[in-house]
Short mmCIF file of all heavy atoms in Angstrom, two decimals:
data_model
loop_
_atom_site.label_atom_id
_atom_site.label_comp_id
_atom_site.label_asym_id
_atom_site.label_seq_id
_atom_site.Cartn_x
_atom_site.Cartn_y
_atom_site.Cartn_z
N VAL A 1 -11.03 -15.25 -18.93
CA VAL A 1 -10.83 -15.20 -20.37
C VAL A 1 -10.31 -16.56 -20.79
O VAL A 1 -9.30 -17.04 -20.27
CB VAL A 1 -9.81 -14.10 -20.77
CG1 VAL A 1 -9.53 -14.14 -22.26
CG2 VAL A 1 -10.29 -12.73 -20.33
N ARG A 2 -11.03 -17.19 -21.71
CA ARG A 2 -10.58 -18.47 -22.29
C ARG A 2 -10.13 -18.20 -23.72
O ARG A 2 -10.86 -17.59 -24.49
CB ARG A 2 -11.72 -19.48 -22.32
CG ARG A 2 -12.18 -19.92 -20.97
CD ARG A 2 -13.28 -20.94 -21.12
NE ARG A 2 -13.88 -21.24 -19.84
CZ ARG A 2 -15.07 -21.77 -19.69
NH1 ARG A 2 -15.81 -22.06 -20.74
NH2 ARG A 2 -15.53 -22.02 -18.49
N VAL A 3 -8.96 -18.68 -24.06
CA VAL A 3 -8.43 -18.49 -25.40
C VAL A 3 -8.94 -19.62 -26.28
O VAL A 3 -8.68 -20.80 -25.99
CB VAL A 3 -6.89 -18.45 -25.38
CG1 VAL A 3 -6.35 -18.29 -26.80
CG2 VAL A 3 -6.41 -17.33 -24.47
N ALA A 4 -9.68 -19.26 -27.31
CA ALA A 4 -10.26 -20.25 -28.22
C ALA A 4 -9.15 -21.08 -28.86
O ALA A 4 -8.10 -20.57 -29.25
CB ALA A 4 -11.08 -19.56 -29.30
N GLY A 5 -9.40 -22.39 -28.93
CA GLY A 5 -8.46 -23.29 -29.58
C GLY A 5 -7.28 -23.70 -28.70
O GLY A 5 -6.37 -24.36 -29.19
N SER A 6 -7.28 -23.29 -27.45
CA SER A 6 -6.20 -23.70 -26.55
C SER A 6 -6.79 -23.95 -25.17
O SER A 6 -7.95 -23.69 -24.92
CB SER A 6 -5.11 -22.64 -26.47
OG SER A 6 -5.53 -21.55 -25.69
N ARG A 7 -5.94 -24.42 -24.27
CA ARG A 7 -6.37 -24.63 -22.88
C ARG A 7 -6.01 -23.43 -22.01
O ARG A 7 -6.13 -23.49 -20.80
CB ARG A 7 -5.71 -25.88 -22.31
CG ARG A 7 -6.35 -27.16 -22.75
CD ARG A 7 -5.86 -28.31 -21.91
NE ARG A 7 -5.61 -27.91 -20.52
CZ ARG A 7 -6.14 -28.48 -19.46
NH1 ARG A 7 -6.93 -29.49 -19.59
NH2 ARG A 7 -5.86 -28.06 -18.24
N ASP A 8 -5.55 -22.34 -22.60
CA ASP A 8 -5.16 -21.17 -21.83
C ASP A 8 -6.38 -20.48 -21.25
O ASP A 8 -7.31 -20.13 -21.96
CB ASP A 8 -4.39 -20.18 -22.69
CG ASP A 8 -3.06 -20.73 -23.18
OD1 ASP A 8 -2.54 -21.67 -22.54
OD2 ASP A 8 -2.55 -20.22 -24.19
N VAL A 9 -6.35 -20.33 -19.92
CA VAL A 9 -7.43 -19.66 -19.21
C VAL A 9 -6.80 -18.65 -18.26
O VAL A 9 -5.88 -18.98 -17.52
CB VAL A 9 -8.32 -20.66 -18.43
CG1 VAL A 9 -9.40 -19.93 -17.66
CG2 VAL A 9 -8.93 -21.69 -19.37
N TYR A 10 -7.31 -17.43 -18.32
CA TYR A 10 -6.80 -16.34 -17.50
C TYR A 10 -7.92 -15.84 -16.59
O TYR A 10 -9.04 -15.62 -17.04
CB TYR A 10 -6.30 -15.19 -18.36
CG TYR A 10 -5.27 -15.64 -19.36
CD1 TYR A 10 -5.62 -15.91 -20.68
CD2 TYR A 10 -3.94 -15.81 -18.99
CE1 TYR A 10 -4.67 -16.35 -21.60
CE2 TYR A 10 -2.99 -16.23 -19.90
CZ TYR A 10 -3.37 -16.50 -21.20
OH TYR A 10 -2.44 -16.93 -22.10
N VAL A 11 -7.59 -15.66 -15.34
CA VAL A 11 -8.52 -15.12 -14.35
C VAL A 11 -7.98 -13.75 -13.96
O VAL A 11 -6.78 -13.59 -13.73
CB VAL A 11 -8.59 -16.02 -13.10
CG1 VAL A 11 -9.49 -15.41 -12.04
CG2 VAL A 11 -9.05 -17.41 -13.47
N TYR A 12 -8.86 -12.75 -13.92
CA TYR A 12 -8.42 -11.43 -13.48
C TYR A 12 -9.30 -10.94 -12.34
O TYR A 12 -10.50 -11.19 -12.30
CB TYR A 12 -8.39 -10.43 -14.63
CG TYR A 12 -9.72 -10.20 -15.30
CD1 TYR A 12 -10.58 -9.20 -14.84
CD2 TYR A 12 -10.12 -10.96 -16.39
CE1 TYR A 12 -11.82 -8.99 -15.45
CE2 TYR A 12 -11.34 -10.75 -17.00
CZ TYR A 12 -12.18 -9.76 -16.53
OH TYR A 12 -13.39 -9.56 -17.12
N LEU A 13 -8.65 -10.31 -11.39
CA LEU A 13 -9.31 -9.71 -10.23
C LEU A 13 -8.70 -8.33 -10.04
O LEU A 13 -7.47 -8.20 -10.00
CB LEU A 13 -9.05 -10.54 -8.96
CG LEU A 13 -9.41 -12.01 -9.00
CD1 LEU A 13 -8.82 -12.73 -7.79
CD2 LEU A 13 -10.92 -12.17 -9.01
N ALA A 14 -9.54 -7.32 -9.93
CA ALA A 14 -9.03 -5.96 -9.72
C ALA A 14 -9.91 -5.25 -8.71
O ALA A 14 -11.13 -5.36 -8.73
CB ALA A 14 -9.01 -5.19 -11.03
N ALA A 15 -9.25 -4.54 -7.82
CA ALA A 15 -9.94 -3.75 -6.80
C ALA A 15 -9.61 -2.28 -7.03
O ALA A 15 -8.53 -1.95 -7.52
CB ALA A 15 -9.48 -4.17 -5.40
N PRO A 16 -10.54 -1.40 -6.67
CA PRO A 16 -10.21 0.02 -6.76
C PRO A 16 -9.08 0.36 -5.78
O PRO A 16 -8.84 -0.37 -4.82
CB PRO A 16 -11.51 0.73 -6.34
CG PRO A 16 -12.46 -0.31 -5.93
CD PRO A 16 -11.87 -1.65 -6.16
N ASP A 17 -8.39 1.44 -6.06
CA ASP A 17 -7.34 1.90 -5.16
C ASP A 17 -7.59 3.36 -4.83
O ASP A 17 -7.53 4.20 -5.71
CB ASP A 17 -5.98 1.74 -5.83
CG ASP A 17 -4.83 1.98 -4.87
OD1 ASP A 17 -5.05 1.96 -3.65
OD2 ASP A 17 -3.71 2.21 -5.36
N PRO A 18 -7.97 3.64 -3.61
CA PRO A 18 -8.03 2.77 -2.45
C PRO A 18 -9.29 1.89 -2.48
O PRO A 18 -10.27 2.22 -3.16
CB PRO A 18 -8.08 3.74 -1.27
CG PRO A 18 -8.75 4.96 -1.81
CD PRO A 18 -8.32 5.04 -3.26
N ALA A 19 -9.24 0.80 -1.74
CA ALA A 19 -10.36 -0.14 -1.69
C ALA A 19 -10.83 -0.31 -0.25
O ALA A 19 -10.03 -0.28 0.69
CB ALA A 19 -9.95 -1.49 -2.26
N HIS A 20 -12.10 -0.53 -0.11
CA HIS A 20 -12.68 -0.83 1.20
C HIS A 20 -12.19 -2.22 1.62
O HIS A 20 -12.07 -3.12 0.78
CB HIS A 20 -14.21 -0.81 1.09
CG HIS A 20 -14.90 -0.89 2.40
ND1 HIS A 20 -15.12 -2.08 3.05
CD2 HIS A 20 -15.41 0.08 3.20
CE1 HIS A 20 -15.75 -1.85 4.18
NE2 HIS A 20 -15.93 -0.54 4.30
N PRO A 21 -11.89 -2.43 2.88
CA PRO A 21 -11.41 -3.75 3.33
C PRO A 21 -12.33 -4.91 2.95
O PRO A 21 -11.85 -6.00 2.66
CB PRO A 21 -11.31 -3.59 4.86
CG PRO A 21 -11.11 -2.13 5.07
CD PRO A 21 -11.88 -1.45 3.99
N GLU A 22 -13.62 -4.68 2.94
CA GLU A 22 -14.55 -5.75 2.55
C GLU A 22 -14.38 -6.14 1.08
O GLU A 22 -14.56 -7.30 0.71
CB GLU A 22 -16.00 -5.34 2.83
CG GLU A 22 -16.35 -5.35 4.30
CD GLU A 22 -16.18 -6.72 4.94
OE1 GLU A 22 -16.67 -7.72 4.39
OE2 GLU A 22 -15.53 -6.79 6.00
N THR A 23 -14.04 -5.18 0.25
CA THR A 23 -13.78 -5.46 -1.17
C THR A 23 -12.57 -6.37 -1.30
O THR A 23 -12.60 -7.37 -2.03
CB THR A 23 -13.55 -4.16 -1.95
OG1 THR A 23 -14.73 -3.36 -1.88
CG2 THR A 23 -13.20 -4.43 -3.40
N ILE A 24 -11.51 -6.04 -0.59
CA ILE A 24 -10.29 -6.85 -0.63
C ILE A 24 -10.58 -8.24 -0.08
O ILE A 24 -10.14 -9.25 -0.65
CB ILE A 24 -9.15 -6.18 0.16
CG1 ILE A 24 -8.82 -4.81 -0.44
CG2 ILE A 24 -7.92 -7.07 0.21
CD1 ILE A 24 -8.42 -4.85 -1.91
N ARG A 25 -11.35 -8.32 0.98
CA ARG A 25 -11.70 -9.62 1.56
C ARG A 25 -12.47 -10.48 0.56
O ARG A 25 -12.19 -11.67 0.40
CB ARG A 25 -12.53 -9.43 2.83
CG ARG A 25 -12.87 -10.73 3.52
CD ARG A 25 -13.57 -10.48 4.87
NE ARG A 25 -13.92 -11.73 5.50
CZ ARG A 25 -15.08 -12.36 5.34
NH1 ARG A 25 -16.03 -11.84 4.59
NH2 ARG A 25 -15.31 -13.51 5.93
N ALA A 26 -13.43 -9.87 -0.14
CA ALA A 26 -14.23 -10.63 -1.12
C ALA A 26 -13.35 -11.16 -2.25
O ALA A 26 -13.45 -12.33 -2.63
CB ALA A 26 -15.35 -9.76 -1.66
N LEU A 27 -12.48 -10.32 -2.79
CA LEU A 27 -11.60 -10.77 -3.86
C LEU A 27 -10.60 -11.80 -3.35
O LEU A 27 -10.24 -12.73 -4.08
CB LEU A 27 -10.90 -9.59 -4.52
CG LEU A 27 -11.80 -8.66 -5.33
CD1 LEU A 27 -11.01 -7.46 -5.84
CD2 LEU A 27 -12.47 -9.39 -6.47
N SER A 28 -10.17 -11.67 -2.12
CA SER A 28 -9.26 -12.66 -1.53
C SER A 28 -9.94 -14.02 -1.42
O SER A 28 -9.31 -15.06 -1.64
CB SER A 28 -8.77 -12.20 -0.16
OG SER A 28 -7.94 -11.09 -0.29
N LEU A 29 -11.24 -14.03 -1.08
CA LEU A 29 -11.98 -15.29 -1.01
C LEU A 29 -12.02 -15.97 -2.38
O LEU A 29 -11.91 -17.19 -2.47
CB LEU A 29 -13.40 -15.06 -0.49
CG LEU A 29 -13.52 -14.79 1.00
CD1 LEU A 29 -14.95 -14.39 1.35
CD2 LEU A 29 -13.10 -16.01 1.82
N VAL A 30 -12.17 -15.19 -3.43
CA VAL A 30 -12.15 -15.77 -4.79
C VAL A 30 -10.77 -16.35 -5.07
O VAL A 30 -10.65 -17.46 -5.60
CB VAL A 30 -12.55 -14.72 -5.85
CG1 VAL A 30 -12.39 -15.29 -7.25
CG2 VAL A 30 -13.98 -14.24 -5.63
N SER A 31 -9.72 -15.64 -4.70
CA SER A 31 -8.35 -16.15 -4.89
C SER A 31 -8.14 -17.46 -4.16
O SER A 31 -7.56 -18.40 -4.71
CB SER A 31 -7.32 -15.13 -4.38
OG SER A 31 -7.38 -13.95 -5.12
N VAL A 32 -8.61 -17.53 -2.93
CA VAL A 32 -8.45 -18.75 -2.15
C VAL A 32 -9.26 -19.89 -2.78
O VAL A 32 -8.79 -21.03 -2.85
CB VAL A 32 -8.87 -18.51 -0.67
CG1 VAL A 32 -8.92 -19.82 0.10
CG2 VAL A 32 -7.90 -17.54 -0.02
N ALA A 33 -10.44 -19.57 -3.28
CA ALA A 33 -11.26 -20.60 -3.95
C ALA A 33 -10.51 -21.19 -5.14
O ALA A 33 -10.59 -22.39 -5.41
CB ALA A 33 -12.60 -20.02 -4.40
N LEU A 34 -9.77 -20.36 -5.86
CA LEU A 34 -8.98 -20.84 -7.00
C LEU A 34 -7.95 -21.88 -6.56
O LEU A 34 -7.63 -22.79 -7.31
CB LEU A 34 -8.27 -19.68 -7.68
CG LEU A 34 -9.15 -18.72 -8.46
CD1 LEU A 34 -8.37 -17.46 -8.79
CD2 LEU A 34 -9.70 -19.37 -9.70
N MET A 35 -7.45 -21.72 -5.35
CA MET A 35 -6.41 -22.63 -4.87
C MET A 35 -6.98 -23.83 -4.12
O MET A 35 -6.39 -24.89 -4.14
CB MET A 35 -5.44 -21.86 -3.97
CG MET A 35 -4.65 -20.84 -4.74
SD MET A 35 -3.57 -19.87 -3.69
CE MET A 35 -4.60 -18.44 -3.39
N GLU A 36 -8.11 -23.66 -3.47
CA GLU A 36 -8.63 -24.71 -2.60
C GLU A 36 -9.76 -25.54 -3.18
O GLU A 36 -10.06 -26.60 -2.65
CB GLU A 36 -9.12 -24.09 -1.28
CG GLU A 36 -8.02 -23.55 -0.43
CD GLU A 36 -8.51 -23.06 0.91
OE1 GLU A 36 -9.74 -22.98 1.13
OE2 GLU A 36 -7.66 -22.74 1.75
N SER A 37 -10.39 -25.07 -4.22
CA SER A 37 -11.55 -25.77 -4.75
C SER A 37 -11.30 -26.28 -6.16
O SER A 37 -11.42 -25.54 -7.14
CB SER A 37 -12.78 -24.84 -4.75
OG SER A 37 -13.86 -25.49 -5.36
N PRO A 38 -10.97 -27.56 -6.29
CA PRO A 38 -10.78 -28.13 -7.62
C PRO A 38 -12.03 -28.01 -8.49
O PRO A 38 -11.93 -27.83 -9.70
CB PRO A 38 -10.44 -29.60 -7.36
CG PRO A 38 -10.06 -29.68 -5.92
CD PRO A 38 -10.73 -28.54 -5.22
N ASP A 39 -13.21 -28.11 -7.87
CA ASP A 39 -14.45 -27.99 -8.64
C ASP A 39 -14.60 -26.59 -9.24
O ASP A 39 -15.04 -26.43 -10.38
CB ASP A 39 -15.67 -28.31 -7.77
CG ASP A 39 -15.74 -29.77 -7.38
OD1 ASP A 39 -15.16 -30.61 -8.10
OD2 ASP A 39 -16.37 -30.07 -6.35
N PHE A 40 -14.22 -25.56 -8.48
CA PHE A 40 -14.28 -24.20 -8.99
C PHE A 40 -13.29 -24.02 -10.14
O PHE A 40 -13.63 -23.47 -11.19
CB PHE A 40 -14.01 -23.20 -7.86
CG PHE A 40 -14.06 -21.76 -8.29
CD1 PHE A 40 -15.13 -21.26 -9.00
CD2 PHE A 40 -13.03 -20.90 -7.96
CE1 PHE A 40 -15.18 -19.92 -9.40
CE2 PHE A 40 -13.06 -19.56 -8.35
CZ PHE A 40 -14.14 -19.08 -9.07
N SER A 41 -12.08 -24.52 -9.96
CA SER A 41 -11.07 -24.42 -11.03
C SER A 41 -11.53 -25.14 -12.29
O SER A 41 -11.38 -24.64 -13.40
CB SER A 41 -9.73 -24.98 -10.56
OG SER A 41 -9.21 -24.18 -9.53
N ARG A 42 -12.11 -26.34 -12.13
CA ARG A 42 -12.62 -27.09 -13.29
C ARG A 42 -13.73 -26.32 -14.00
O ARG A 42 -13.80 -26.29 -15.23
CB ARG A 42 -13.12 -28.46 -12.87
CG ARG A 42 -12.11 -29.56 -13.09
CD ARG A 42 -12.70 -30.96 -12.94
NE ARG A 42 -13.32 -31.20 -11.65
CZ ARG A 42 -12.67 -31.48 -10.53
NH1 ARG A 42 -11.36 -31.54 -10.53
NH2 ARG A 42 -13.32 -31.69 -9.41
N ALA A 43 -14.59 -25.68 -13.21
CA ALA A 43 -15.67 -24.88 -13.81
C ALA A 43 -15.09 -23.74 -14.63
O ALA A 43 -15.58 -23.43 -15.72
CB ALA A 43 -16.61 -24.36 -12.73
N LEU A 44 -14.03 -23.11 -14.13
CA LEU A 44 -13.40 -22.03 -14.89
C LEU A 44 -12.78 -22.55 -16.19
O LEU A 44 -12.83 -21.89 -17.22
CB LEU A 44 -12.32 -21.34 -14.05
CG LEU A 44 -12.82 -20.52 -12.88
CD1 LEU A 44 -11.66 -20.04 -12.03
CD2 LEU A 44 -13.66 -19.35 -13.33
N LEU A 45 -12.21 -23.75 -16.12
CA LEU A 45 -11.58 -24.32 -17.30
C LEU A 45 -12.58 -24.79 -18.34
O LEU A 45 -12.37 -24.60 -19.54
CB LEU A 45 -10.67 -25.49 -16.89
CG LEU A 45 -9.39 -25.12 -16.16
CD1 LEU A 45 -8.78 -26.34 -15.50
CD2 LEU A 45 -8.41 -24.45 -17.11
N TYR A 46 -13.67 -25.42 -17.88
CA TYR A 46 -14.55 -26.12 -18.83
C TYR A 46 -16.03 -25.74 -18.74
O TYR A 46 -16.79 -26.06 -19.64
CB TYR A 46 -14.44 -27.63 -18.60
CG TYR A 46 -13.03 -28.14 -18.62
CD1 TYR A 46 -12.44 -28.62 -17.45
CD2 TYR A 46 -12.29 -28.14 -19.79
CE1 TYR A 46 -11.14 -29.09 -17.46
CE2 TYR A 46 -10.98 -28.61 -19.80
CZ TYR A 46 -10.41 -29.08 -18.63
OH TYR A 46 -9.12 -29.54 -18.64
N GLY A 47 -16.45 -25.12 -17.64
CA GLY A 47 -17.87 -24.92 -17.40
C GLY A 47 -18.46 -23.71 -18.07
O GLY A 47 -17.76 -22.86 -18.64
#
């Protein structure tokens, strides 16, 4: 979610409860990408 007129950007990730381990693994990979990939973060901010 990007807030119009500001630089505020929110990322949301939700898994069902209970969740299959593969589901948690996939969402965890997205979380890690947010921390390890500046290109991914820039794409979220501006792309």
